[in-house]
Amino acid sequence: MNTNSLQQHVNEPTREKNILDLVMTITDLSINALEVTSKIGDHRMIDFDIQNTLDIQDPYTRTQHKQFFDYKRANFELMKEKLGNYNYEVLMSNKNAEECYMILKDKIATATDQDIPRKRIRRTNIPHWFSQEIKRLIIARHHSYRRLKRCQTEPHLPAKPKFLIHTLLLCSLTKT
């Protein structure tokens, strides 16, 4: 257990003279007030408090920050000029293919960072299971539902089957 950074906290028997019920934690978690108490059936109950010292984010309250290049505002002419000003024959003389590749990659990355601005998107409270497919289906279901409500006044619109299909697809995706 020590090789996997695990600690066993139960030292008293939990069934007759045997320790069958274990409380194992990683070393960063501390167990407070562990107590083997009254019997439930033929086992004794373990009561304890956990003090968490780890920084674990709840997956339902995570914040996502995505950065990507904003090519619409990029200055490609300046980037082309910067990359054209290098004397590649001198830079790459007496170098093997790997070293030449690394030099060229570094020059392109530097020019990209300087001449193409970045956009930053901040999204909060996104569950870890919420994908683009689920978002698309929720929007489609919403449109189908609105159409279904209109069907009460306009019976020629076939909205009910689409609404049911979108609801079933959403249910099947979120249950897995």
Side-chain angles (χ1 to χ4, degrees):
M1 286 190 303
N2 289 338
T3 58
N4 294 324
S5 299
L6 294 175
Q7 287 181 331
Q8 163 42 353
H9 296 277
V10 178
N11 298 321
E12 298 177 39
T14 56
R15 182 171 187 233
E16 297 173 3
K17 295 181 181 178
N18 302 312
I19 300 175
L20 295 181
D21 301 310
L22 306 176
V23 176
M24 299 172 70
T25 63
I26 57 176
T27 54
D28 290 345
L29 288 175
S30 63
I31 300 292
N32 297 331
L34 185 127
E35 184 180 353
V36 179
T37 60
S38 62
K39 279 190 167 187
I40 299 177
D42 60 348
H43 284 270
R44 293 176 66 195
M45 186 172 74
I46 302 171
D47 187 28
F48 59 92
D49 295 326
I50 298 176
Q51 180 182 0
N52 186 2
T53 58
L54 295 174
D55 184 25
I56 300 173
Q57 265 191 332
D58 181 16
Y60 293 100
T61 59
R62 71 183 174 154
T63 301
Q64 277 187 344
H65 296 283
K66 284 191 176 183
Q67 280 193 356
F68 56 93
F69 290 112
D70 186 5
Y71 292 106
K72 289 180 182 178
R73 297 186 310 145
N75 190 347
F76 289 112
E77 292 302 317
L78 182 60
M79 189 173 167
K80 184 177 175 183
E81 184 181 319
K82 283 182 184 178
L83 290 173
N85 286 339
Y86 294 114
N87 188 349
Y88 293 104
E89 288 181 18
V90 173
L91 281 174
M92 297 182 184
S93 63
N94 300 325
K95 306 267 191 302
N96 62 24
E98 182 70 25
E99 292 170 332
C100 291
Y101 167 75
M102 293 306 288
I103 290 170
L104 186 60
K105 180 182 164 189
D106 182 52
K107 299 298 180 194
I108 291 173
T110 303
T112 301
D113 286 340
Q114 291 174 353
D115 300 324
I116 301 177
R118 294 179 187 256
K119 270 189 181 178
R120 186 175 182 186
I121 294 178
R122 182 173 180 249
R123 298 171 20 183
T124 55
N125 295 335
I126 301 166
H128 64 280
W129 49 264
F130 194 81
S131 65
Q132 290 291 4
E133 178 68 12
I134 291 175
K135 182 179 178 180
R136 185 187 65 75
L137 285 171
I138 287 172
I139 292 170
R141 185 183 70 164
H142 176 71
H143 290 300
S144 299
Y145 180 75
R146 288 177 55 201
R147 200 170 221 205
L148 176 66
K149 287 297 183 184
R150 268 192 284 145
C151 280
Q152 294 172 354
T153 57
E154 302 172 26
H156 66 278
L157 293 174
K160 189 171 184 174
K162 283 187 180 180
F163 175 71
L164 292 175
I165 289 170
H166 291 305
T167 303
L168 290 173
L169 282 172
L170 268 173
C171 288
S172 68
L173 280 176
T174 54
K175 285 183 182 176
T176 57

